[in-house]
Amino acid sequence: MAQRGHFIPVSHPVLDGNEKLYVGECLDTGWLSANGRFVPLFESAFASYCGTMHAVATSSGTAALHLALLALGVGPGDEVLVPTLTYVATANAVRYCGATPVFVDSEWQTWNIDPSAIEARISAKTRGIIVVHLYGHPADMDPILEIARRHGLFVLEDAAQAHGAQYKGRRVGGLGDAGIFSFFGNKLITTGEGGMIVTSREEVAERARWLRGQGMDPTRHYWFPVIGFNYRMTNLQAAVGLAQLERIEARLAERRQVAQWYERYLDRFEHLLQRPSCQPWARHTFWLYSVLLDRSVAIDRDEIMHALRWRGIETRPVFYPVHTMPPYRSANCSLPVAEAIASRGISLPTHSLLTEDQVRYVCEVLIAACAGGARTRAVSP
Ligand SMILES: *Cc1c(COP(=O)(O)O)cnc(C)c1O
């Protein structure tokens, strides 16, 4: 148990490729801001990775969401369907457009948006559906795309947690009208802060590109016909991003290995913990390996996380459903599956630098904490 006494974080970036070389070029040439050569290089490499015609690099994943929604025509009075079990940025971006997020419950298998719960939430104001590939497991896109087609809605994939994930053999991001990614430091690949919109719809890419740069008229420099944003990615960020993308398959393989270790050491404890499921049509990227406490575990989820922290292991609660947060409570809905998952879910350390010993240690501490709770309840009246 060599790792006892060391802190084990949930996430850790790996910067072992051409990052220094490319950033060095930015410093040497003075091209630090958004006009350097790495921005278009990163964009075209990322577009081809996702199988889309276009990619638009942004200052963050949140900026990518906001720009993508604007480019898809979302505005005041519109409604956009959003899974409630997601990072809050997904819903916030809808609000930035003056539109209203309408929350949809999860399905039990993958925790993603439940396709069978979508149609009941569609109204005359609905413009589109944001699909989140939660923790790296793709959502079931075919039924969602079919519903969207039938109702004339756009589908925007929030793939911020799912770089390289595949749905029926195709990479996520390019499956709907547009997709977005985040390159925050804890994501699968990183640029520190950063994001990307991918799409094969030329007018969507063009509009996003235009609004990203303050909305400047492309043919009349320093003429601004609309109110745009500064959502540009810098050359420094793109230099790191390009180097990260070159090594993405190694990162994905390392995460798959970590997930296999978790499977091995949690395998005999199904009565305490439900492990993440992987559908036969999915390539899960395990952004975070997240487990669900069994109902028989009497110890509170937060107490179990506390016990792990005492033993030097960082964990994260599964996302609190967005409809339960103060700014969104007026939505006043009950989405029981997401609420149940959120109250009993824990995300475990998942990154490329973990060793098998560390994963075994995390599992031992976790099982001991859960088993204590299960026993307590078994002997209490
Ligand atoms: C990380 C994340 C975002 C936001 O990305 P930032 O780069 O942090 O702005 C959006 N949606 C989801 C699902 C995320 O996980």
Side-chain angles (χ1 to χ4, degrees), residues 40-57 170-179 181 196-206 209:
L41 281 177
F42 184 33
E43 286 178 335
S44 61
F46 204 83
S48 71
Y49 184 72
C50 294
T52 57
M53 300 286 291
H54 311 280
V56 180
R170 292 177 59 203
R171 290 215 175 94
V172 301
L175 305 171
D177 293 272
F181 292 84
M196 191 77 81
I197 301 169
V198 294
T199 182
S200 291
R201 287 180 54 183
E202 181 154 10
E203 79 285 8
V204 172
E206 225 163 65
R209 217 173 268 286

Side-chain angles (χ1 to χ4, degrees), residues 60-62 65 86-87 89-90 132 158 160-161 180 182-184 187 193-194:
S60 71
T62 307
L65 273 169
T86 181
Y87 183 54
T90 318
V132 180
D158 180 343
Q161 307 177 358
I180 73 94
S182 164
F183 306 116
F184 185 66
K187 297 291 162 72
E193 297 277 0

